[in-house]
């Protein structure tokens, strides 16, 4: 939060931010880190005692809470003023890596993608992709944002061969598979994705080609999955894993970038193992995930999910607790799941405390409020059940009115 350097074995989204700030300040060119965060991640992170960092612009953070490097980055931003386009591309990517996507939309002109085929420079294409990326990340938090996947399609179809063109094609395949399930469209766009990857590989170094090839096969796994073709999924995932495990890494930066691309590959193979009912393989992959980045909460949540499948509820609760301690992301979900596990082993008091922590982390968690109402009623905790009843009524009413409810008074008030 203070823009200081990433600690050893930091989660990859932190490494990506670290490198992006360094690139913005010093003009360096680190390998690309794919990991990014939404604005909701910032919201989850900047709760008490970090509320001073809950600002709309990095310059609004109190100066005494920012590292020297952070001040240098803010100086870079302020040196551009409102004219950050076209010379402030690195600074804009750093803002995106911090989750300031609305700020990126404010300062990058909305007409940057007007004529991609005749863009005057690669920077124009980068800005067009960045603006579309920022819009997509905002939409993930708020579906009312006017984002459409067609914006990525336009870049992939009309931009010259470039990294943004390739990334846009990947996004079309991934988003179509996840959000619409249009098998025919996925197949068509995966063919375009393959052609662009082949074209751009002529200008890239082997480490980056390997990373992008792994990503290509990983997203390609969606196609046989939609066909319920288990062997096809296994084939694509094997190619994805082999490409990244065999990728050259001539220095520590390239090795970090390789591991970052291996991470989602392990995650995909773990999900594949669960899909195939192979819990031993899923457990092995979850262990590898944790060993690579023990500070990433997702690995602990994945292992907890597998332990739930095996009915090892005490161990699952411990893993969910670790995930919650390392969050964000996912603190409220981990706490909710921990409560479910504790109830399975008869620890209602521990489950109740975990549910209350969940509601504190996410005051809009209507499922957690409902679960707390049920549990506290069965336990005879009238003050909590009364608070839950009131809060449920508020949440239901406010959801109908389509606006965000306020943070409630704590249950102890009732």
């Amino acid at each position: 939060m203070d823009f200081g350097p990433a600690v050893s074995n930091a989660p990859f989204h932190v490494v990506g931010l670290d490198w992006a700030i360094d690139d913005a300040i010093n003009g360096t060119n680190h390998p690309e880190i794919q990991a990014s965060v939404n604005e909701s991640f910032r919201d989850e992170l900047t709760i008490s005692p970090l509320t001073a960092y809950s600002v709309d612009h990095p310059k609004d953070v109190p100066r005494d809470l920012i590292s020297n490097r952070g001040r240098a980055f803010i100086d870079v931003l302020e040196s551009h003023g409102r004219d950050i386009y076209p010379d402030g591309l690195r600074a804009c990517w750093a803002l995106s890596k911090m989750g300031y996507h609305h700020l990126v939309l404010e300062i990058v002109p909305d007409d940057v993608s007007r004529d991609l085929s005749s863009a005057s420079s690669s920077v124009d294409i980068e800005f067009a992709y960045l603006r579309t990326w920022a819009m997509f990340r905002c939409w993930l938090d708020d579906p009312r944002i006017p984002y459409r996947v067609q914006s990525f399609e336009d870049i992939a179809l009309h931009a010259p061969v470039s990294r943004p063109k390739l990334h846009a094609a990947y996004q079309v395949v991934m988003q179509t598979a996840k959000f619409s399930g249009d098998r025919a469209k996925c197949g068509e766009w995966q063919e375009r994705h393959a052609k662009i990857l082949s074209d751009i590989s002529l200008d890239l170094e082997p480490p980056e080609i390997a990373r992008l090839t792994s990503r290509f096969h990983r997203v390609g796994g969606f196609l046989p999955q939609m066909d319920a073709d288990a062997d096809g999924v296994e084939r694509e995932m094997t190619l994805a894993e082999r490409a990244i495990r065999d990728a050259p890494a001539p220095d520590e930066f390239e090795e970090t970038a390789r591991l970052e691309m291996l991470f989602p590959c392990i995650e995909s193979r773990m999900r594949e193992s669960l899909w195939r009912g192979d819990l031993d393989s899923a457990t092995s992959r979850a262990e590898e995930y944790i060993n690579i980045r023990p500070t990433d909460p997702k690995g602990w949540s994945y292992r907890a999910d597998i332990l739930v499948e095996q009915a090892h509820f005490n161990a699952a609760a411990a893993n969910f607790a670790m995930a919650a301690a390392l969050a964000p992301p996912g603190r409220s979900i981990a706490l909710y799941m921990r409560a479910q596990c504790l109830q399975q082993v008869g620890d209602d008091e521990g489950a109740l405390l975990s549910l209350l922590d969940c509601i504190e982390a996410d005051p809009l968690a209507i499922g957690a409020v409902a679960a707390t109402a049920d549990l506290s009623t069965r336990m005879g905790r009238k003050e909590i059940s009364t608070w839950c009843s009131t809060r449920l009524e508020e949440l239901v009413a406010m959801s109908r009115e389509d606006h965000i409810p306020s943070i409630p008074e704590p249950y102890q008030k009732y």
Side-chain angles (χ1 to χ4, degrees):
M1 295 301 292
D2 66 353
F3 309 99
V7 299
S8 176
N9 284 331
F12 289 112
H13 61 269
V14 177
V15 175
L17 172 57
D18 180 27
W19 289 3
I21 290 176
D22 196 32
D23 289 348
I25 296 171
N26 301 313
T28 50
N29 288 295
H30 286 87
E32 186 172 2
I33 292 291
Q34 305 284 311
S36 185
V37 301
N38 293 344
E39 291 186 344
S40 57
F41 179 96
R42 291 187 54 79
D43 294 340
E44 187 176 350
L45 186 62
T46 54
I47 60 175
S48 179
L50 299 175
T51 52
Y53 295 98
S54 181
V55 295
D56 295 327
H57 195 294
K59 66 180 176 60
D60 297 329
V61 177
R63 298 283 284 188
D64 61 328
L65 297 180
I66 302 177
S67 65
N68 289 336
R69 193 173 72 146
R71 295 189 188 100
F73 173 69
I74 292 170
D75 288 343
V76 169
L77 284 176
E78 293 187 332
S79 71
H80 291 291
R82 300 301 295 180
D83 300 320
I84 203 164
Y85 173 83
D87 297 326
L89 178 62
R90 287 188 175 94
C92 280
W93 267 116
L95 289 173
S96 175
K97 292 292 185 183
M98 295 178 208
Y100 284 110
H101 300 297
H102 272 97
L103 182 56
V104 170
L105 294 175
E106 287 179 20
I107 62 183
V108 177
D110 60 4
D111 61 352
V112 290
S113 58
R114 183 169 45 195
D115 189 1
L116 293 166
S117 60
S118 61
S120 59
S121 72
S122 61
V123 172
D124 293 330
I125 306 299
E126 287 274 4
F127 265 113
Y129 180 85
L130 173 57
R131 182 176 173 80
T132 303
W133 173 253
M135 186 73 77
F136 168 58
R137 302 303 295 206
C138 289
W139 174 80
L140 288 174
D141 282 339
D142 183 358
R144 295 170 297 183
I145 296 293
Y147 162 77
R148 297 291 182 272
V149 72
Q150 285 80 6
S151 298
F152 279 121
E153 292 178 14
D154 289 343
I155 296 171
L157 288 171
H158 303 301
V161 174
S162 56
R163 288 182 181 87
K165 183 182 183 78
L166 178 68
H167 295 336
Y170 163 77
Q171 287 295 327
V172 175
V173 179
M174 183 273 291
Q175 293 179 35
T176 300
K178 286 190 172 183
F179 303 133
S180 74
D182 187 331
R183 172 62 174 82
K185 182 177 178 180
C186 271
E188 175 188 340
W189 273 96
Q190 183 68 343
E191 290 180 7
R192 287 197 181 97
H193 188 193
K195 176 64 166 62
I196 300 168
L197 177 59
S198 176
D199 291 343
I200 198 174
S201 292
L202 299 174
D203 299 321
L204 303 180
E205 295 297 320
E208 187 173 9
I209 294 172
R211 295 195 298 270
L212 295 173
T213 299
S214 176
R215 186 182 69 172
F216 169 80
H217 288 295
R218 181 161 46 82
V219 78
F222 279 120
L223 277 71
Q225 184 177 358
M226 285 188 282
D227 296 334
D229 177 5
D231 291 338
V233 172
E234 167 72 19
R235 188 164 50 250
E236 284 293 330
M237 291 297 102
T238 297
L239 290 170
E241 185 172 13
R242 183 181 302 153
I244 198 60
R245 289 197 185 277
D246 295 343
D251 57 43
E252 63 177 305
F253 299 110
E254 293 289 357
E255 173 62 7
T256 298
R258 186 190 74 83
L259 289 174
E260 194 252 348
M261 194 61 80
L262 176 61
F263 228 41
C265 189
I266 295 171
E267 179 181 0
S268 295
R269 299 231 66 177
M270 181 177 57
R271 292 181 183 277
E272 173 206 344
S273 296
L274 287 171
W275 184 57
R276 296 167 67 94
D278 186 351
L279 295 182
D280 289 341
S281 177
T283 299
S284 175
R285 297 187 184 284
E287 296 285 353
E288 183 180 14
Y289 197 103
I290 292 170
N291 289 337
I292 291 174
R293 278 297 185 274
T295 56
D296 189 311
K298 289 191 295 184
W300 298 91
S301 287
Y302 289 141
R303 187 163 67 179
D305 288 338
I306 297 165
L307 289 165
V308 168
E309 290 289 328
Q310 298 169 319
H312 298 325
F313 296 112
N314 275 318
N319 278 261
F320 280 127
M322 180 63 77
L326 293 170
R331 176 173 168 77
S332 62
I333 295 173
L335 290 167
Y336 180 84
M337 291 304 301
R338 177 175 180 266
Q340 306 310 302
C341 293
L342 292 175
Q343 286 188 77
Q344 289 292 325
V345 297
D347 185 359
D348 286 348
E349 187 65 33
L352 183 62
L353 292 174
S354 195
L355 284 170
L356 292 171
D357 286 342
C358 172
I359 296 169
E360 182 179 5
D362 181 5
L364 311 184
I366 190 168
V369 176
T372 306
D374 179 66
L375 180 58
S376 60
T377 299
R378 287 192 285 109
M379 293 175 66
R381 302 291 290 273
K382 186 175 180 181
E383 75 284 4
I384 298 178
S385 62
T386 300
W387 177 87
C388 286
S389 297
T390 302
R391 185 58 179 165
L392 276 174
E393 291 176 2
E394 292 174 352
L395 288 170
V396 170
M398 293 175 178
S399 65
R400 289 172 180 163
E401 297 170 11
D402 194 30
H403 68 79
I404 298 173
S406 59
I407 295 176
E409 290 292 321
Y411 72 88
Q412 291 94 337
K413 291 278 187 179
Y414 290 80

